[in-house]
Amino acid sequence: IDGNMIIKMWQLSNPVLPWSRIIIDEAQDLNDAARAVVEAQMGRAQVIAVGDTYQQINAWNGAVNALDKFPITRRLWLTNCWRFGPEIAAAANEVLVDLGSEHLISGHGPNGIIQPAGDPDVRLSRTNATAVGRALQEIRRGRRPHIIGGASDVVNFCRSVVAMQDGRAPEHPELACFDSWADVMAYAADDELGGDLAPLVDLIVRFGAKTIVQTMGSQPPEKRADLILSTVHKIKGRQWGAVEIADDFQILPGDPFNEVEETRLLYVAVTRAQFELDLSQVPFFPQHKPEETTNGT
């Protein structure tokens, strides 16, 4: 039984919580059954919901924005931030404007800088495939990277690819409908629906499925790593001094086709840095792309 099912069973038991004040954090990404339990306490307890609509990034997993569902009687805007100063706040506000926010952040923390980071504390990406690709590059350089939360999803996918390449049936559900690895590569390259598999296919083409399984089976503890890697979904609430954002955030400023949750992911990524932020690889911020130099004649 998974956690969501346990919470749903708890909600169906109509629990009465014995508190006069209930405070909910991360209310923008709340399990809907948990939301119903809290809402049922209204009238007998004061409910304080804390959250940020523009940090809602778990709708894919069934989470809901309780800030839009609770019958809120008083709303307060907490726009002052002490994690970073005005420089990083300005970058975050660019994303907020694109999301249509009426309220922007005011950075009251230490002064920061936006520039290419030579040795960042963490590199944040949209997908685990990108994190694994960077980890393999670092390992080739003799470094010891750590991926927050591990890379079991990528490793399990690669194990099934190895099975396909050896003529055996794959166990991974994403590969169950394919007869061969060649079919998977063709689907990722040519089919409109193949975009979700494309990063994994590209990773395997670059490094090899067997190499990924053998290399990513273990990793050093986070405190002993040379570089920390993570997807944005795994680092909510965390912060680092120097943050580099990977190039797999492909949204563009002002593009009407931007997916809202993808833009929110970028907003969360930008707001993890305290002092130094590397946006040089992110298309949304073309002003921070390093200028190309040409040789004079």
Side-chain angles (χ1 to χ4, degrees):
I1 300 178
D2 66 18
N4 289 338
M5 187 176 296
I6 292 173
I7 295 175
K8 183 62 179 179
M9 293 170 65
W10 179 52
Q11 181 229 329
L12 293 175
S13 71
N14 297 316
V16 175
L17 305 183
W19 302 300
S20 59
R21 180 177 294 122
I22 300 170
I23 302 175
I24 303 296
D25 195 13
E26 300 288 348
Q28 80 283 348
D29 266 322
L30 195 63
N31 176 284
D32 201 33
R35 176 204 57 79
V37 169
V38 173
E39 193 166 321
Q41 314 308 308
M42 293 181 176
R44 67 170 71 98
Q46 179 190 31
V47 174
I48 301 173
V50 181
D52 181 350
T53 293
Y54 300 106
Q55 292 194 45
Q56 183 189 10
I57 59 174
N58 289 315
W60 63 275
N61 198 29
V64 298
N65 184 4
L67 298 171
D68 287 342
K69 291 180 174 288
F70 284 147
I72 295 175
T73 58
R74 186 182 182 193
R75 191 183 296 267
L76 302 175
W77 301 99
L78 306 178
T79 57
N80 292 331
C81 178
W82 282 265
R83 172 179 290 160
F84 44 72
E87 299 82 6
I88 294 174
N93 285 334
E94 289 186 54
V95 187
L96 283 177
V97 168
D98 199 82
L99 285 166
S101 175
E102 297 179 0
H103 303 273
L104 302 181
I105 295 174
S106 180
H108 296 276
N111 289 333
I113 187 169
I114 298 178
Q115 65 178 10
D119 190 20
D121 298 315
V122 66
R123 185 179 193 260
L124 302 179
S125 61
R126 175 182 165 272
T127 68
N128 232 0
T130 299
V132 170
R134 179 59 179 266
L136 291 167
Q137 290 176 345
E138 296 295 321
I139 290 170
R140 284 181 174 179
R141 295 172 54 196
R143 304 187 76 201
R144 292 164 51 82
H146 173 90
I147 298 178
I148 293 176
S152 60
D153 55 342
V154 174
V155 172
N156 291 336
F157 184 89
C158 288
R159 285 199 178 101
S160 280
V161 171
V162 171
M164 295 184 81
Q165 293 172 337
D166 290 343
R168 293 177 284 118
E171 297 182 358
H172 198 284
E174 294 275 6
L175 300 173
C177 60
F178 296 99
D179 294 325
S180 68
W181 173 239
D183 290 341
V184 178
M185 290 192 293
Y187 173 75
D190 303 328
D191 197 294
E192 290 184 0
L193 300 178
D196 289 343
L197 287 184
L200 285 170
V201 170
D202 177 67
L203 183 71
I204 292 168
V205 169
R206 289 165 55 203
F207 295 99
K210 290 182 179 179
T211 298
I212 294 170
V213 171
Q214 293 167 356
T215 306
M216 300 307 301
S218 62
Q219 61 178 0
E222 183 175 336
K223 291 183 179 180
R224 298 181 182 177
D226 299 319
L227 175 65
I228 300 170
L229 304 161
S230 182
T231 61
V232 179
H233 283 103
K234 297 176 182 177
I235 48 83
K236 283 293 294 294
R238 297 192 62 176
Q239 61 188 27
W240 289 269
V243 174
E244 175 188 336
I245 300 181
D247 61 0
D248 59 348
F249 292 88
Q250 292 301 312
I251 58 174
L252 298 172
D255 189 337
F257 297 102
N258 285 343
E259 294 186 14
V260 172
E261 191 152 334
E262 295 295 308
T263 310
R264 290 172 181 160
L265 273 177
L266 180 59
Y267 171 61
V268 173
V270 169
T271 54
R272 298 309 96 190
Q274 295 174 281
F275 312 110
E276 184 177 2
L277 179 62
D278 184 348
L279 300 174
S280 61
Q281 303 171 64
V282 187
F284 190 91
F285 299 97
Q287 71 274 30
H288 295 298
K289 181 179 180 181
E291 294 183 4
E292 296 182 2
T293 59
T294 57
N295 294 327
T297 56

